[in-house]
Amino acid sequence: MFENRPNRDAEVVLVGRSNVGKSTLMRELTGHSFDTGGKPGVTRSPNHYDWTAEDFVLTDLPGFGFMSGVEEDHREQIKTDIVRYLEEYADNVLVAVLVVDGKSVVDIIDRHTGPDSIPYDVEMYHFLQDIGIPTVVAVNKMDKVDDRDERLDELAERLGLYPPWKQWQETIAPISAKREQLEPMYEAVRTHLHEQERDDLFKFF
């Protein structure tokens, strides 16, 4: 299912739970529409978009987490596949963009925080850190959020980053993919590309 990755050295991946706007973001980044199927959990295998001349691929990984109408064991399988993929290609992935829904992410995290459970978004963020992949948390749908700074401070805190969020602008990027307000994410991604001496890829971001 995850076998169709183009053989490229450099990769940027989009990860996140279902329905956070990853596909819209992918469309903005590439100018191409991908078949998302219109219901959660439809993107079951990665969407790759590659530039042969640049030896670069942009990958939209399937959404993880709760999806209505999708069996739990299937959801777990998707998550396992994503984790395996990221572990396998960790050396190739220059940046991971973890996409979250700015309106609901803090509530979702708080709802799933218990003695035994780490919320998916927080778990994924720390997993990416553990395997050494620089991560940008793209906080999408910010056009629908009123108490913007407060909400972003709360998210920073949940991720283990001390507020105010503004000191983490290479990590936390408030965006609105539908409204094409993506500059904070582009800047954060470029920071990480620059650190890895890949300024040649700035033209994509």
Side-chain angles (χ1 to χ4, degrees):
M1 157 172 161
F2 276 38
E3 303 305 308
N4 62 345
R5 182 187 184 275
N7 184 16
R8 303 281 172 262
D9 269 348
E11 181 170 12
V12 169
V13 297
L14 304 182
V15 287
R17 56 174 64 246
S18 300
N19 284 3
V20 292
K22 287 200 320 309
S23 301
T24 308
L25 191 52
M26 189 74 169
R27 191 166 61 239
E28 287 300 324
L29 287 167
T30 62
H32 286 256
S33 285
F34 292 84
D35 178 26
T36 56
K39 64 177 199 274
V42 169
T43 312
R44 300 268 168 103
S45 54
N47 279 318
H48 299 288
Y49 193 80
D50 71 309
W51 288 268
T52 318
E54 314 292 341
D55 196 20
F56 171 61
V57 59
L58 180 67
T59 301
D60 176 18
L61 290 168
F64 57 77
F66 175 77
M67 295 167 258
S68 56
V70 178
E71 299 284 322
E72 185 173 356
D73 57 351
H74 187 79
R75 295 202 303 261
E76 284 303 314
Q77 186 57 52
I78 289 175
K79 201 173 128 204
T80 303
D81 287 343
I82 292 169
V83 164
R84 283 198 193 125
Y85 182 93
L86 290 166
E87 284 177 332
E88 186 172 346
Y89 297 110
D91 291 345
N92 303 92
V93 179
L94 301 172
V95 187
V97 178
L98 173 59
V99 188
V100 300
D101 181 332
K103 217 168 55 145
S104 61
V105 65
V106 173
D107 302 332
I108 289 172
I109 288 172
D110 289 353
R111 200 179 319 146
H112 292 87
T113 303
D116 307 318
S117 67
I118 302 171
Y120 277 143
D121 299 300
V122 175
E123 184 182 30
M124 184 58 73
Y125 174 75
H126 289 299
F127 169 69
L128 289 163
Q129 301 300 293
D130 288 347
I131 59 175
I133 296 179
T135 307
V136 173
V137 181
V139 192
N140 196 15
K141 308 185 186 180
M142 285 306 287
D143 50 308
K144 298 178 178 166
V145 175
D146 301 327
D147 48 351
R148 184 184 163 90
D149 284 339
E150 192 181 324
R151 189 46 64 115
L152 292 166
D153 282 350
E154 288 174 353
L155 175 60
E157 203 174 338
R158 304 303 188 275
L159 294 172
L161 305 170
Y162 291 104
W165 75 272
K166 285 190 171 155
Q167 62 185 335
W168 304 104
Q169 291 190 47
E170 76 288 357
T171 303
I172 295 179
I175 62 166
S176 171
K178 272 217 162 106
R179 302 201 167 193
E180 300 176 25
Q181 294 161 350
L182 300 174
E183 200 49 46
M185 183 193 73
Y186 289 152
E187 282 178 28
V189 168
R190 283 187 216 121
T191 302
H192 295 297
L193 291 175
H194 178 67
E195 281 167 2
Q196 296 169 84
E197 300 178 353
R198 291 307 303 261
D199 293 18
D200 55 304
L201 298 176
F202 278 16
K203 58 183 171 228
F204 300 117
F205 298 98

